[in-house]
Amino acid sequence: MKSTTNTIKLLLLLMFTAVFSIHAQEIIEDKTDIAATEEAENTKTDSTNAFNPVKVDGVAGVVGDFIVLNSDIDKKFLEMQAQGIITKDITSCQVFGRLLEDKLYAHHAIQDSILVSDAEVRNNVEYQVQQFLQQVNGDMNRLLKIYNKESEESLREEMFKTNKDMMLSQRMQAKVIEEVEITPEEVRQFFNKIPKDERPSFGTELKVAQIVVEPKVSEEEKQRIINQLKQFKADVEENGASFRSKVILYGQDPGIKQSGYKYTLNRKNLEW
């Protein structure tokens, strides 16, 4: 009986030890997993921090189907500078307002079916390109660098769009004011309302008049000149007189009188 009791106690002790060991092992594993998870989360790299967003451009305003970008303001400054306009006293807000106004006119021009042909726009673009090239001594690469363009074609495409919008705007403005009549008195009143220290200065105006008289040549005078020329020809061909002497003696062209009536021609400058 005593042996049986001891055996039971021994079995219970072994069972208790086994259960405690299993339980302790599970707790250790749980703690290890949690710690590993926390460590992995703490050391995890945030992939969003690897990108630094850069603003390429932005929409400054929208008028109908027309969009004004932030870069359009900078380009407008470049255009004005290329045209010789001093921009140091012009603010970005003023340029932006002008762009919005132009887009508004262009929008209403389309609504009113005002047309601008592509040929007109291309002619205007060509003229502007030549004007801009004169500012950079004909260097197209320098012009492309100023406008941040990769090719002449991309520059002309952008100028085509800009010029078309501008021409639409101008024609719409002309249509708006075509029936407006302003009297000299209205101009005078408007000018007088401007404070004296803010009035623009105007250069001195000069009026130049020229009297042109076209003389009437009689038939007798015409015949006298013809006879004189025939006499000069006869003296040179028949009597051996110097043609240059005749020119110096009887020439009346003030443009070449100082050079002894001698023309100097440069074949390189001649156009055939």
Side-chain angles (χ1 to χ4, degrees), residues 50-61:
F51 299 95
N52 294 322
V54 177
K55 183 179 179 181
V56 177
D57 207 343
V59 177

Side-chain angles (χ1 to χ4, degrees), residues 40 59 72 75 77 81 92 99 147-148 192 221 224 231 237 253:
V59 177
D72 292 336
K75 292 175 183 176
F77 272 111
Q81 291 169 2
S92 298
L99 289 174
Y147 282 92
N148 194 24
N192 291 332
E221 182 64 18
R224 186 186 71 81
Q231 183 62 45
E237 294 180 347
D253 188 349

Side-chain angles (χ1 to χ4, degrees), residues 73 77 87 89-100:
I73 301 175
F77 272 111
T87 59
D89 296 329
I90 302 177
T91 64
S92 298
C93 185
Q94 290 173 323
V95 174
F96 176 55
R98 179 57 187 272
L99 289 174
L100 288 178

